[in-house]
Amino acid sequence: MAGTDETSHTISLATNSYDTALCIIPPQYQCRSIDDLRSLYDKGYGQWPPHINLIYPFVAPEILPRAKEQIERALKNTQVAQDGISVQLNQASYFSHKTNNTIFLCEDDTTSSPLKALHSVVLQALGQPSTPCNFHMTIGQSEDTTDSSREFLLSKAKLLPQIDLRVTQLAILVRERIPGNEQSSRMRLWPGGSIQIAMGLELSEFWLNTRAKTIDTASNEDELDELSDEPAAASSFSREVQFGSTYEFDKEEGLWVRADLGETAESLPSKLTVSSYNVLIDSEYPPARDRDPLIRDAILSESALADVVVLQEVSDDFLSFLLADDDIRQHYPYTSHGPPSQHDLGPLPSLRNVVMLSKAAFYWDFVPFHRRHKGAVVATFGNISQETVKTLAYTDTMMVEAGLMDTWSVARVEAADRVMTHISIDSDDLFEGEEGATFNPRENELAAATSGTSQNRPQRYDRILVRPRGSLRVHRFNHFGLPGNRDGMRTVPSDHWGVRASIEIVPESEHDSSAAPTPLLARKASANLADKDELMSTLSAYEMLPTDEESKARKQAISLIKEVILGTSNDHDSINSDVPLVIVTVGSCALGVWTSASDIDCLCIGSISSKTFFNLARQRIHKARDRGVRLLRRVNANSGTMLELSVNGVSMDLQYAPSARVVERWAEFPKLHHSDDVFNLSILSLRKLKPYRDVNYILRTLPSPSAFQTAYRAIKLWAVQRGLYSSKFGYLGGVHLTLMLFILCKRMAHHTGLVIATDLVATFFHHFANFDWETNMLFDPFFHKKTPRYQRSAREPMVILGLFAPNSNIAHQSTVPGLKTLTREFKNADACLSKERMTWEKFFDISASATVGVSEYLRSQENYIKVNIQYWGKSLAKGKGLVGWVESRCLLLVVEIHKALSQLEVRIWPARFTENDTNISGNDYQGCYLIGLSRTEESTQVPSREDRVAARQALDKCIERFQTQLQADEKYYDPSYCWIGIDLVKPSDVKSLRLDDREWGDDTADLEPDSDDEDDNETEDLDEPVDTPTVRKPVRSASPKSTAPVSGTKLRPASDVLNRLRWDPNLESGNFIVGYEDRFLGAKETSLERWKTEQTDDEFIPQHRILYFKRKEDGVIVWERRTRVDLVFGSGVSAESGGLGK
């Protein structure tokens, strides 16, 4: 009886232990919205459940059984035990601390709380007096004590749905120390069970299932609420994948409700369009609303509408505004988050949130990253597989390794992007990774205001990643949310541009591999070569990088020539003037790969004739002499008449393309499809427009212009050093190098997603060292789509197909020995870059002289053919013509020697040599060209004496024949003032030679006319006196010598004659023969019916090589360029005789 009496009496139990707590825990299904916030803002998340402390601190752990018994006995006969109690948490408030505020939910203070009565009963059961208590459920702690920080988290707590809680049991929690970390702990349910009040659900330790970071929580949870000096950023948060609920708009209810996704996957569309937009959070609190309509309009704009829209930095206030819009609800009936302002939904978890809007239903999960408030929304549509959490948590490099690529890069490579015409950044000023910027402080005032770490540099932060190979193909890419005007004011919706990608889902059976080029042999630069700064430093040491002063001078020169020729530096004003004209740069200047030695190539396009333009240009240039503009000479290049200018010391070449339709549509010209009627032009006009069209396409589709420019300069430096940079000698020219590197750059971006300058250089040498030129052509598979129908001839060992029409092999001047030299040098460079501890300084041999390649060449060949030139005439122009003419013929000798002695390596150095120092002034000149001869590396057998004699005889014949041909040309060779000789010499005979630095100028005298102004086909040197002695011209035996004076009537071009002979019903085309100039074999003939005009034909020959047309039946020449005879139209010297059929 004594024991029974002892247990039936209440014993006073001290409530001073922070290792136990008596609390109320809501069911898990009521805690989701609360825990979404707690995971980011509450230090106790992961250690404490969402709870209302009834008594904390509680009793010591060892007397918990006694305390439970006394409390249960006290509650047994109370009204609480019979009915239970109901609690409504419908109000948010806060506690203020020294460094922050604690935000919590509580009951409405206007009503009497049943928790107070329960609290008094429990304290009385423990023998303790009743004390006041503020019953609350902690949501989190603010970042600091500022009003904005407190009100931000408080506003989120106010958006939580009201919690109606029926208390059926009191949970007893006991602190558990974390094994191995005694400073950390967590609260767990006491094994002895909870205190039952009424029938209800069994409690579970659901708060322990999160992967929250465990921290030291001191030992007092009240201290965390009231005395915490630790900022909220140190609180724990979950890194577990969180399942998301998709919402759809219910039109009948007028509310967003949870979508019933069902188990049946929707069928996939053939095309999926995805938009991504960072809408920018202006402030933590109060929310800024002035840009909300602008952002909504941007999302609903034609350039932004998509199947799926992914929004970043979305706030509660903005999402509520957006999802209340009828147009948004109509276009996007599904969303990853409902409007926080809706009473039955909760707030967004973070300040900056990711929200998805969609036309179709989807499943989604949220994958938290290591940084708080950062994560990814992973959505599943139909049968599109979900990416793994691990893949999404890594950086760009890991995404590339996983096969994910940026749609901007893919679309740019495939010319599927829409150009942002408002952006006007100089590409020379962009670093790698800045192209296609979506965050641009230079163009966006909001970005400039928020730029904190980008140092005011443009950045491409916003990307849409896909796997472009296989079933997904990027169809189009564009930006939206660009600056606009509203009520006369410039407006910018956000600090980021939005991005939209259209992705096609292509069945495997429809994959087209017809344009599949040879496999890309990519190679990463070694660790020693991966430093781009070292590469740039090396290029700077060789003066391959322009200085700021040079860049400024060129920009000023371009602006000045526009002002002089057009009358204004503004293209828009010049297009709308009485004489519509526009001037653009092409070539190295437009591509941003120029050096101090480069000319500026300019193209003027207008509505007037070529003759009128050049007369007008000469007049205006003459008037601008006092401004530093000088006309050096007028020449006829292969692409037509060209003016060589000097603009304040900057060399410039100016050409003209007459095309009124192009000028009229100039604003849209860069975006026009190649099939547009505006390109229904003559071959000549298309040829003149081609450089600009090609450059525009290259710049538009380059994934990384800065990487391309750096790699271009590096490879050009190598080619110059190795004597390989000269297209007229059968090696690499600027066009060759541009297309080769451009195609490689695009293929690297399409396959790996990353283009780094050092890797691009290494890949260039490795890929082309192993490229099979004999069986493969080099072309841009993204431009041509399908393998071009090009039948190469036996005279084309190297085929590099260009871009726009008229298209042809740009490597048509390549030769077999030249290609062998290139391949051998590619292999040597590849092997050199593969060596251990190789650096860019060693690769370019920066410690040696700039003539390191020349020195090696002068001692590496077994023998040399020395083509000597001497000139002592009075006319400097004739000296230039002689040197240029001999230079243009040297490649013929290289080809002839290779044909006769194929077992030898024949290599010409693309520059002149000289022995004396007197060539820098005066008209007397003596120099030479060298052609090296060596046995091939494959030649292991020593030739016999008979073989050597036969080889020498064959070589002598080639030399003698070539020298005879040169000396027989009376146009350039006159023994009274020049001499040409060819010798076979040993290395010892050339060791004293040096490169000739005399500036003779380019070969212009032998260029064949190729313009409409064929009466102006002579080169004019305009800034120096020119002797004009009588030139003895050879007369073709087939044509009688004319004694009639040369008529001033313009000779009709060969193209007109060709068309009339072919299509005039009164003439029989099969009765005519075309005489033309073969580049290697001289004058040749073919029937008119076999003459090809399509540039893709194997036997295509440019029309400017036509020499004459002859009638088969009587051998009469009916048209001849040289004698200006035209019996077809009656032009030229036949002006008075009339034409055929007249």
Side-chain angles (χ1 to χ4, degrees), residues 587-794:
S588 62
C589 182
L591 290 171
V593 296
W594 60 274
T595 62
S596 57
S598 303
D599 296 339
I600 298 178
D601 296 315
C602 292
L603 174 66
C604 184
I605 307 168
S607 59
I608 57 179
S609 68
S610 297
K611 187 173 183 178
T612 303
F613 168 77
F614 285 114
N615 288 335
L616 177 66
R618 292 180 66 171
Q619 293 175 7
R620 293 182 174 180
I621 292 172
H622 180 73
K623 293 179 180 179
R625 287 181 64 90
D626 57 344
R627 302 176 66 182
V629 183
R630 297 175 59 224
L631 175 58
L632 301 181
R633 57 179 178 163
R634 170 175 171 166
V635 299
N636 281 293
N638 286 332
S639 55
T641 303
M642 178 176 69
L643 299 182
E644 291 187 359
L645 311 174
S646 175
V647 183
N648 289 322
V650 178
S651 299
M652 186 176 293
D653 296 334
L654 177 64
Q655 290 188 293
Y656 178 72
S659 179
R661 286 183 295 175
V662 170
V663 177
E664 291 171 0
R665 302 181 62 183
W666 183 250
E668 55 180 326
F669 182 75
K671 302 177 184 178
L672 294 178
H673 192 267
H674 61 82
S675 62
D676 194 279
D677 290 342
V678 75
F679 298 115
N680 187 20
L681 304 171
S682 66
I683 293 294
L684 178 61
S685 296
L686 287 176
R687 184 181 296 123
K688 290 182 177 181
L689 290 173
K690 178 179 172 62
Y692 174 72
R693 297 178 68 194
D694 287 353
V695 165
N696 182 67
Y697 175 81
I698 290 172
L699 291 176
R700 177 185 170 188
T701 59
L702 263 181
S704 180
S706 59
F708 170 85
Q709 291 161 358
T710 301
Y712 181 99
R713 289 188 166 101
I715 298 169
K716 179 181 177 180
L717 174 60
W718 167 84
V720 171
Q721 287 183 336
R722 303 301 302 170
L724 302 172
Y725 192 74
S726 177
S727 60
K728 59 188 174 184
F729 285 96
Y731 297 134
L732 300 178
V735 179
H736 302 73
L737 185 53
T738 296
L739 280 178
M740 293 169 71
L741 194 62
F742 164 65
I743 294 170
L744 210 60
C745 186
K746 291 174 67 174
R747 291 191 61 189
M748 286 181 64
H750 198 266
H751 280 72
T752 66
L754 295 176
V755 179
I756 301 173
T758 52
D759 292 344
L760 186 55
V761 175
T763 298
F764 178 89
F765 289 116
H766 183 62
H767 182 81
F768 290 113
N770 297 278
F771 193 88
D772 185 2
W773 292 102
E774 184 177 354
T775 58
N776 295 315
M777 301 183 298
L778 183 65
F779 62 92
D780 181 2
F782 308 105
F783 177 85
H784 291 283
K785 304 300 181 184
K786 295 183 179 181
T787 302
R789 296 180 179 178
Y790 184 85
Q791 298 296 324
R792 67 196 301 171
S793 67

Side-chain angles (χ1 to χ4, degrees), residues 1-11 66 69-70 73:
M1 290 294 296
T4 303
D5 292 340
E6 182 178 349
T7 58
S8 62
H9 291 82
T10 299
I11 299 176
R66 180 67 183 185
E69 179 186 348
Q70 291 186 187
R73 187 171 60 245

Side-chain angles (χ1 to χ4, degrees), residues 566 572-581 606-608 616 620 663:
L566 308 179
H572 178 74
D573 293 340
S574 66
I575 292 174
N576 295 323
S577 64
D578 294 337
V579 183
L581 297 170
S607 59
I608 57 179
L616 177 66
R620 293 182 174 180
V663 177

Side-chain angles (χ1 to χ4, degrees), residues 246-248 256 259 332-336 356-362:
T246 302
Y247 293 87
E248 64 177 329
W256 290 88
Y332 303 107
Y334 295 92
T335 177
S336 59
M356 288 186 61
L357 308 179
S358 174
K359 290 183 177 180
F362 60 93

Side-chain angles (χ1 to χ4, degrees), residues 79-141:
Q79 191 68 30
V80 172
Q82 297 177 8
D83 304 330
I85 62 174
S86 295
V87 178
Q88 286 187 341
L89 301 181
N90 54 9
Q91 182 172 309
S93 187
Y94 64 92
F95 297 131
S96 295
H97 310 304
K98 293 180 181 178
T99 60
N100 57 21
N101 298 275
T102 294
I103 311 300
F104 58 82
L105 295 178
C106 60
E107 296 177 286
D108 189 346
D109 54 11
T110 61
T111 59
S112 177
S113 172
L115 294 178
K116 293 181 179 179
L118 179 61
H119 181 253
S120 297
V121 170
V122 171
L123 285 178
Q124 185 178 359
L126 297 176
Q128 299 294 327
S130 179
T131 57
C133 182
N134 191 337
F135 302 105
H136 67 279
M137 181 180 292
T138 300
I139 300 300
Q141 297 78 39

